[in-house]
């Protein structure tokens, strides 16, 4: 483990991880096209974070229904499957059926890569700071622990969301699906822990 941390703390390696993390952040907003069209004349749609912090099955369903309304109007009007075929002018992603299926693809393509990258970056950066400072290392040790656990919480949370949406491909299916309140609450708890740990990590680095 220490060898991996030392490798990640090297300047060139840390720079590559940072660049990959920046690309992931840059592409993530555009990838919302996989769920709802960005040119939809709607405001106040739930964010990914709001979905993560739904806490109850009813709120989880409500957030999904808000996205469906932006795509094709209320469930039951227009397209019986209430699906959006993607953005034809945008080659990435290709114009395939989206909706909840697009949310699964978004999770697999970005939301698993993101915690891996920010976890590696945190370990590399904090190890580098550990070598540069000779005092208050307990703060850095705490930050390192938080930066290691947060990505794990993130990945488990993502796995729960994938399980909840497994087999739910259209907005109509999402409207009639019965989501587990226990799993929704567990995912929200993990998301809260993740965000709390990331804040604690930043605060610990600032104090070191």
């Amino acid at each position: 483990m220490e060898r991996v941390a030392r490798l990640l703390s090297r300047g060139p390696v840390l720079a590559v991880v940072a660049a990959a993390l920046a690309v992931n952040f840059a592409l993530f907003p555009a990838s919302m096209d996989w769920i709802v069209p960005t040119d939809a004349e709607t405001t106040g749609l739930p964010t990914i974070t709001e979905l993560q912090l739904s806490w109850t099955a009813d709120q989880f369903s409500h957030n999904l229904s808000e996205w469906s309304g932006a795509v094709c109007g209320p469930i039951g009007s227009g397209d019986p499957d209430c699906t959006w075929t993607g953005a034809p002018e945008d080659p990435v992603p290709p114009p395939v059926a989206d909706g909840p299926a697009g949310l699964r693809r978004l999770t697999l393509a970005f939301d698993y890569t993101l915690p891996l990258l920010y976890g590696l970056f945190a370990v590399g950066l904090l190890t580098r700071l550990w070598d540069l400072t000779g005092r208050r290392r307990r703060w850095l040790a705490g930050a390192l622990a938080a930066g290691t656990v947060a990505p794990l919480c993130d990945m488990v949370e993502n796995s729960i969301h994938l399980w909840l949406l497994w087999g739910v491909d259209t907005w109509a299916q999402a409207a009639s699906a019965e989501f587990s309140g226990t799993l929704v609450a567990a995912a929200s708890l993990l998301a809260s822990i993740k965000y709390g740990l990331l804040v604690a990590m930043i605060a610990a680095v600032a104090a070191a």
Side-chain angles (χ1 to χ4, degrees), residues 95-192:
V96 296
D98 271 90
L103 180 56
R104 289 202 306 270
R105 291 194 296 121
L106 175 67
T107 299
L108 288 170
F110 291 96
D111 238 7
Y112 273 109
T113 310
L114 180 60
L116 175 63
L117 289 174
Y118 75 66
L120 293 176
F121 181 74
V123 170
L125 179 62
L126 292 169
T127 302
R128 192 173 183 86
L129 289 175
W130 180 280
D131 292 336
L132 293 176
T133 182
R135 56 196 183 98
R136 296 186 178 179
R137 282 186 168 180
R138 283 183 298 178
W139 289 102
L140 289 178
L144 184 58
T148 303
V149 176
L152 297 177
C153 290
D154 203 346
M155 290 183 178
V156 176
E157 170 212 335
N158 293 336
S159 298
I160 292 175
H161 285 145
L162 284 179
W163 179 263
L164 287 168
L165 294 170
W166 197 260
V168 180
D169 298 320
T170 68
W171 293 119
Q173 291 174 343
S176 60
E178 293 186 4
F179 299 108
S180 167
T182 301
L183 289 179
V184 171
S188 296
L189 177 61
L190 287 167
S192 298

Side-chain angles (χ1 to χ4, degrees), residues 39-102:
D39 59 351
E41 296 181 358
T42 55
T43 58
L45 289 177
T47 63
I48 292 290
T49 302
E50 288 177 281
L51 186 72
Q52 293 173 339
L53 300 175
S54 294
W55 286 106
T56 66
D58 287 345
Q59 186 61 42
F60 190 80
S61 297
H62 172 75
N63 288 332
L64 291 176
S65 69
E66 288 291 299
W67 281 339
S68 74
V71 176
C72 53
I75 295 291
S77 65
D79 180 359
D81 288 330
C82 201
T83 56
W84 178 59
T85 57
E89 72 282 357
D90 182 5
V92 181
V96 296
D98 271 90

Side-chain angles (χ1 to χ4, degrees), residues 18-45:
L21 183 60
V23 169
N24 189 285
F25 273 121
L27 292 177
F28 194 90
S31 66
M32 283 295 290
D33 278 346
W34 295 10
I35 306 173
V36 296
T38 54
D39 59 351
E41 296 181 358
T42 55
T43 58
L45 289 177

